[in-house]
């Protein structure tokens, strides 16, 4: 192949150069001897072959034919092989024991962030990020979980994300006082809380079935699911009404007031032959239960009423006794002579108006 720094004449055969230099027109060549004509044709043919070779050579990259090129090529191959060997060794180290090696993520749950990061670093991992979130069971500041999770195999250059507890999420306790039991339970559930122990007690100021008090109090901050204890009213406490019939007025009033009730005396009394005047002859209600502050009305006795004693003189014993008893008296028969001969009333000890229930003695002969 002809180098670019070579001249055309340096590679053309000498005889061809000479021939081309003394090229004779064809008209004149006919007059040349036959041997000279052959020489000229041969030169032209060889020159055409040379031109074709030059055209082909121009289409191919130039090749260095100097003797030192083979050694240089061998040196390049050696360098390439050394580079490939170094790359293979580096990759082997990277994926074998270096940052690209597989390793198992350690368990860091329930450890502090510092402890978790130290343990991860000892196993070749990096923990560049940690996120906080609420947790009802893991104490604040401790690791809840890792991503990837413990016992997962990953490359050491991969990061391990830590999720750290902020402790339980706190919720404000709503005010459920003076609410019905069902409504209070619904409101607590809507605040992520629960109904705890329910105590029932009597209360004269809070309607039956409404909440009297709560614990924890309204406004307190408590974890999710905290039980709120409620005290629910049963309404006013029922009181057994004392029975004071037959008691003097003062004693009856004292007994009723001691029970937490109010004693009221009716303006009108009643006659009663069995209960003395001024004593309680009746009460309303006469028993059962009332609530504190309710009223018991007392009716006082006026004593027995005055009744006209029938005159039964000279009546037969049976008729006299019947008439007196019908009038409300108690009859006593006195046989003066030791027995009844005629069976007639000879006398009676009471006449006129007498208290009902008085005893009338009649004398029978």
């Amino acid at each position: 192949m002809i180098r670019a720094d070579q001249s055309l004449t340096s590679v053309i055969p000498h005889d061809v150069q000479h021939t081309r230099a003394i090229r004779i027109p064809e008209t004149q060549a006919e007059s040349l001897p036959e041997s000279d004509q052959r020489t000229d044709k041969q030169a032209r043919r060889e020159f055409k072959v040379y031109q074709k070779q030059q055209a082909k050579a121009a289409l191919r990259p130039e090749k260095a034919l100097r003797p030192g090129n083979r050694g240089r090529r061998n040196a390049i191959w050696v360098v390439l092989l050394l580079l490939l060997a170094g790359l293979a060794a580096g990759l082997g180290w990277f994926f074998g024991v270096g940052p690209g090696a597989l390793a198992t993520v350690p368990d860091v749950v329930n450890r502090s962030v510092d402890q978790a990061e130290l343990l991860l670093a000892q196993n070749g991992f990096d923990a560049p990020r940690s996120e906080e979130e609420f947790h009802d069971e893991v104490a604040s500041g401790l690791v809840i979980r890792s991503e990837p999770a413990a016992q997962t195999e990953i490359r050491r250059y991969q990061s391990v994300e830590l999720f750290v507890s902020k402790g339980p999420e706190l919720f404000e306790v709503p005010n459920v006082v003076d609410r019905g039991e069902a409504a209070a339970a619904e409101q607590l559930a809507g605040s992520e809380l629960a109904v705890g122990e329910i105590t029932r007690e009597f209360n004269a100021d809070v309607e039956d079935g409404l909440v009297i008090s709560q614990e924890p109090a309204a406004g307190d901050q408590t974890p999710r699911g905290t039980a709120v204890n409620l005290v629910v009213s049963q309404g006013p406490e029922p009181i057994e009404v004392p029975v004071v019939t037959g008691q003097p007025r003062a004693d009856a009033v004292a007994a009723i007031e001691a029970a937490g009730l109010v004693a009221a005396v009716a303006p009108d009394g009643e006659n009663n032959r069995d209960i003395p005047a001024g004593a309680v002859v009746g009460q309303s209600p006469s028993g059962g239960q009332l609530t504190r502050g309710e009223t018991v009305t007392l009716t006082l006795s006026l004593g027995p009423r005055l009744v006209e004693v029938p005159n039964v003189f000279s009546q037969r014993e049976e008729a006299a006794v019947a008439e007196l008893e019908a009038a409300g008296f108690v009859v006593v028969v006195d046989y003066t002579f030791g027995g009844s001969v005629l069976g007639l009333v000879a006398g009676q000890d009471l006449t006129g108006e007498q208290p009902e229930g008085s005893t009338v003695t009649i004398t029978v002969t």
Side-chain angles (χ1 to χ4, degrees):
M1 179 180 293
I2 300 173
R3 295 197 310 273
D5 58 348
Q6 288 181 293
S7 63
L8 182 62
T9 57
S10 65
V11 296
I12 299 176
H14 180 74
D15 56 347
V16 174
Q17 293 181 45
H18 179 73
T19 303
R20 188 174 183 184
I22 58 173
R23 187 175 183 184
I24 301 172
E26 292 182 1
T27 54
Q28 296 179 6
E30 291 178 356
S31 63
L32 294 175
E34 183 178 351
S35 58
D36 292 336
Q37 292 179 10
R38 284 198 303 269
T39 300
D40 186 54
K41 289 180 181 179
Q42 183 179 358
R44 286 198 301 268
R45 187 166 51 248
E46 290 177 355
F47 183 72
K48 288 181 180 180
V49 171
Y50 166 75
Q51 287 181 321
K52 290 181 180 179
Q53 290 176 345
Q54 287 295 97
K56 290 181 179 181
L59 298 177
R60 290 197 304 268
E62 180 181 358
K63 293 184 180 179
L65 301 178
R66 295 178 182 177
N69 286 343
R70 181 181 300 274
R72 185 181 301 172
R73 185 166 57 247
N74 291 338
I76 292 174
W77 278 110
V78 170
V79 171
L80 288 176
L81 289 175
L82 290 175
L83 289 175
L84 289 175
L87 178 61
L91 290 175
W93 171 84
F94 183 83
F95 288 104
V97 294
L102 282 174
T104 302
V105 177
D107 187 0
V108 294
V109 174
N110 283 321
R111 296 177 183 268
S112 68
V113 175
D114 290 342
Q115 292 173 337
E117 290 179 344
L118 176 60
L119 184 57
L120 288 170
Q122 290 172 344
N123 285 267
F125 296 110
D126 182 25
R129 292 183 300 160
S130 60
E131 292 188 11
E132 291 187 330
E133 58 185 39
F134 292 108
H135 200 283
D136 294 335
E137 297 176 1
V138 179
S140 177
L142 300 185
V143 176
I144 302 169
R145 67 182 187 281
S146 64
E147 182 61 41
Q151 307 307 317
T152 302
E153 280 197 342
I154 61 172
R155 302 290 177 183
R156 284 177 176 161
Y157 62 78
Q158 293 179 269
S159 297
V160 178
E161 186 174 3
L162 300 178
F163 293 84
V164 182
S165 173
K166 294 195 291 185
E169 184 176 3
L170 298 181
F171 296 86
E172 183 174 341
V173 179
N175 184 9
V176 296
V177 173
D178 289 330
R179 299 195 62 125
E181 187 176 336
E186 182 178 355
Q187 187 173 359
L188 289 172
S191 299
E192 300 293 335
L193 304 176
V195 176
E197 181 181 357
I198 296 179
T199 304
R200 303 183 188 278
E201 61 182 44
F202 298 109
N203 191 294
D205 300 322
V206 180
E207 184 182 340
D208 183 20
L210 300 185
V211 176
I212 301 171
S213 62
Q214 64 183 74
E215 178 61 36
D220 286 356
Q221 300 290 323
T222 60
R224 184 193 311 274
T226 297
V228 179
N229 299 324
L230 304 178
V231 178
V232 179
S233 174
Q234 290 182 286
E237 181 180 5
I239 298 173
E240 294 290 335
V241 177
V243 178
V244 294
T245 302
Q247 295 184 18
R249 172 177 176 171
D251 293 345
V253 170
I256 290 172
E257 290 180 348
L261 303 174
V262 176
V265 178
D268 299 324
E270 293 181 3
N271 292 108
N272 191 292
R273 68 182 186 180
D274 298 320
I275 298 176
V280 177
V281 71
Q283 66 180 72
S284 179
S286 58
Q289 293 180 330
L290 293 176
T291 57
R292 183 174 298 277
E294 290 191 292
T295 301
V296 178
T297 301
L298 303 178
T299 300
L300 301 180
S301 174
L302 298 176
R305 60 180 177 158
L306 294 176
V307 179
E308 185 73 27
V309 179
N311 186 3
V312 294
F313 183 75
S314 75
Q315 292 185 16
R316 297 193 64 83
E317 178 183 350
E318 294 79 1
V321 170
E323 185 177 355
L324 288 169
E325 289 180 344
F329 295 101
V330 177
V331 180
V332 176
V333 179
D334 179 23
Y335 297 102
T336 303
F337 304 104
S340 175
V341 178
L342 300 175
L344 300 175
V345 176
Q348 62 185 71
D349 64 346
L350 295 179
T351 59
E353 288 187 342
Q354 298 294 333
E356 184 182 14
S358 298
T359 299
V360 179
T361 301
I362 61 174
T363 302
V364 179
T365 59

